[in-house]
Amino acid sequence: MSRTSEIQGVGSVPHAYYERSEPLTGVVLLPSQERHDPGEHPENVRRLPGVVDRLRDAPEWDRLFVLYPRYARTEDALRVHSEGFVEILESTGADAPLWLDTDTRVSRDSYPNSLLAAGAALAAVDAVAMEAYHRPDSLFALTRPPGHHTGIDKAMGFCLLNNVSIAARYAQATYGIERVAILDWDVHHGNGTQEIHYADPSVLFCSLHEWPLYPGTGWVDETGAGDGTGFNINIPMPTGSGDVEYLEALDRVALPVIEEFRPEILLVSAGQDCHAADPLCGQLVSASGFKAMATRSAELARRLGIGLVVIHEGGYNVSTLPLLDRSIVAGLGGFEVEEPDPFAPLDAEPPGAWDERLESVIATHAPRWEALR
Amino acid sequence: MRIGLVSGLDWRDGIARLRAAGAELICLPLLSFAPWVAAKRDRAGLEHAERPPSPSLLEAIELADGAWISASAYESEGEGVFYVSSYIAGPDGPVSRYRQAAVVAEPGRYEQMFWSPGHEGNEVAASPLGPTGSLVGSDVRSAPAWEELVSAGARAVVCGVAEDAESWPQTMTAVAGLAALHSVIAVIVNRGGRSNDVEFPGGGAAFDRHGAEIGTGELIEVAPG
């Protein structure tokens, strides 16, 4: 039961306004997501329906806050992307299907669907940020296409609009939020998100990604530029990293730094392609690992009294994605998941060079962040 | 007509031998041309996938020398997109294709790690056995998969599986029952030999429209459906 304990005023974010005995979480569903149809492609129309079906069949479904999105407006996209780029994306429908790069294929309705995907992230921001009796603590926007590879003026890596960056800028523009933290655990480096916020100290970007891997960026020494120096934290995970390494990266670097940054909203780029059965990576994270990462993110947001928006990025095994996304929802809401992960590694060797990489990240960022000293 | 069933790992030798023995339709088991990659949770197995149409399938058609082939190939439509494609092919090439839809994950068969569920529906081919459909893997125990084929006009169903010694008799029983339920001829062939530390017993059988066994072994005489 919620109770009013502190009134921050309309549009304020602190979640101390409502105290609940149990967290309220939910999902933003993307109707007609199949309109973005790249065909036989890892990022295909079959990724999300299985996720939604699994969630609907789960016992926790009735306890979820379920939202449908609105379309993002062009002005929302233009807060992060160039006008020329948005015009190009808008014009692709006439010539579709076509390739925007060697990985990124669009169909006739891809652009409107990408506006809807970005709108799902915005709807989630609205829901966790605005004053409302049933304000959720966190929401998971089940979006596609993903977005974190798209920079200011270039679509790549299956991504069209950068949903998480659009959400960050929207939160700042709409709710008077000054500081936004973005945590990215997709197996690929979020090079687009990095590019957009690289010189911006109001957005802390922290990425855990397999390295070396596509797109090739994301080494430790990419720390930001100008006033944004120190606000871009890359944790390049060695191939073969699993739950132990990912949670250590969160516990020793990402979460302490985010806490010190004192964001007013936490956004997560959640790519489940670091799972042990994903065909596009070499990592070994299990369903329990995703649940634990979501739990830690939710606990941090709760400690800080802020909203949490999780935005879907990668994850390309259509058979395992339903369990992984359900595990994330379970982590956000404190639910049990009774399904075992048949791909959870039991006997994985620790990846080589992990300790050295972690120490390198800590040494690089310790001068800026007290939490790392 | 004579149906040849290739269970062993040396599919080239099996096809050539059965063709020489007069087989007009040669059936191969699940993942006909690749090792049993699903045995282990090791992404190295993905490297065995071929671009469609599988060059191994085309080689098998050549080796069949005029006979028909039913086989399933491990195929990739590009990075990260994998399927098991089941073909019925005549002397001039593939006539029908469908992709395994029921994909499982359990010890010794981590199929979900290596291929995605098919989504294109199934097809019926006019083979020497009559209007024929194919099913592979767990699809052979799927009642809806049989109904789809029968609704599309199939009078015979050829099945390719990779079952261990414990599940193989159960799978044969299920196929015989489904053949009787739908009043079609059924042919099933199991993977044989040891692959990636998993032992398959091999074997095969044909069942008539009442589910009665027509024959077992490598070469079976069957009246077309």
Side-chain angles (χ1 to χ4, degrees), chain A residues 137-275:
Chain A
D137 301 287
S138 60
L139 280 174
F140 188 5
L142 296 172
T143 52
R144 64 173 292 273
H148 73 150
H149 291 307
T150 298
I152 294 167
D153 58 4
K154 187 180 180 213
M156 59 183 285
F158 315 161
C159 299
L160 298 181
L161 294 172
N162 192 314
N163 305 318
V164 75
S165 289
I166 289 172
R169 291 283 189 242
Y170 173 80
Q172 291 178 317
T174 309
Y175 292 100
I177 286 172
E178 292 179 5
R179 293 177 306 282
V180 179
I182 301 175
L183 170 65
D184 186 330
W185 68 55
D186 188 283
V187 80
H188 303 99
H189 179 235
N191 59 307
T193 310
Q194 171 174 296
E195 179 193 308
I196 289 163
H197 305 290
Y198 204 57
D200 180 1
S202 74
V203 177
L204 172 69
F205 178 56
C206 190
S207 175
L208 287 64
H209 47 270
E210 183 177 345
W211 202 96
L213 192 67
Y214 179 92
T217 51
W219 188 241
V220 180
D221 60 1
E222 297 164 21
T223 60
D227 292 343
T229 302
F231 293 86
N232 192 89
I233 298 178
N234 285 318
I235 310 177
M237 314 292 293
T239 300
S241 295
D243 295 356
V244 170
E245 291 76 26
Y246 272 76
L247 294 178
E248 192 174 7
L250 286 187
D251 291 342
R252 290 192 58 194
V253 179
L255 300 181
V257 168
I258 291 171
E259 187 154 11
E260 185 180 337
F261 178 66
R262 291 184 301 108
E264 293 149 281
I265 191 167
L266 173 58
L267 309 179
V268 174
S269 270
Q272 282 59 267
D273 40 7
C274 48
H275 180 244

Side-chain angles (χ1 to χ4, degrees), chain A residues 13-92:
Chain A
V13 166
H15 271 231
Y17 185 79
Y18 295 112
E19 285 179 4
R20 294 187 181 85
S21 57
E22 291 179 351
L24 176 58
T25 193
V27 289
V28 187
L29 305 179
L30 203 63
S32 62
Q33 58 86 29
E34 68 281 356
R35 290 185 306 157
H36 169 56
D37 185 3
E40 286 291 358
H41 191 278
E43 205 292 291
N44 59 59
V45 299
R46 295 170 295 284
R47 291 175 66 227
L48 292 182
V51 172
V52 177
D53 288 347
R54 186 72 60 92
L55 287 171
R56 283 188 175 131
D57 290 343
E60 62 269 20
W61 175 255
D62 289 343
R63 295 166 65 188
L64 296 182
F65 189 104
V66 180
L67 264 180
Y68 282 100
R70 58 183 169 81
Y71 284 94
R73 299 165 64 91
T74 304
E75 69 186 67
D76 297 320
L78 290 176
R79 289 194 190 98
V80 301
H81 299 299
S82 70
E83 200 168 337
F85 171 67
V86 173
E87 282 173 5
I88 287 171
L89 272 190
E90 196 171 4
S91 67
T92 54

Side-chain angles (χ1 to χ4, degrees), chain B residues 3-8 25-33 36 69-73 84-88 98-104 109 111 115 122 129 132-142 145-146 149 156-164 167-168 171-172 175 185-192 200-207:
Chain B
I3 297 178
L5 306 180
V6 178
S7 273
L25 171 63
I26 300 172
C27 304
L28 285 84
L30 178 63
L31 223 56
S32 308
F33 312 115
W36 184 244
I69 287 276
S70 167
S72 60
V84 167
S85 305
S86 180
Y87 290 94
I88 296 176
Y98 102 99
R99 286 173 159 164
Q100 183 186 342
V103 180
V104 299
R109 53 185 326 134
E111 297 175 3
W115 56 92
N122 209 331
L129 197 53
T132 305
S134 72
L135 293 171
V136 290
S138 299
D139 288 344
V140 305
R141 292 185 293 270
S142 163
W146 283 72
L149 277 179
V157 177
V158 290
C159 305
V161 297
E163 302 289 339
D164 63 19
S167 59
W168 170 231
T171 301
M172 276 205 295
V175 166
I185 292 169
V187 178
I188 184 167
V189 57
N190 190 22
R191 194 178 178 96
F200 295 100
F207 302 96

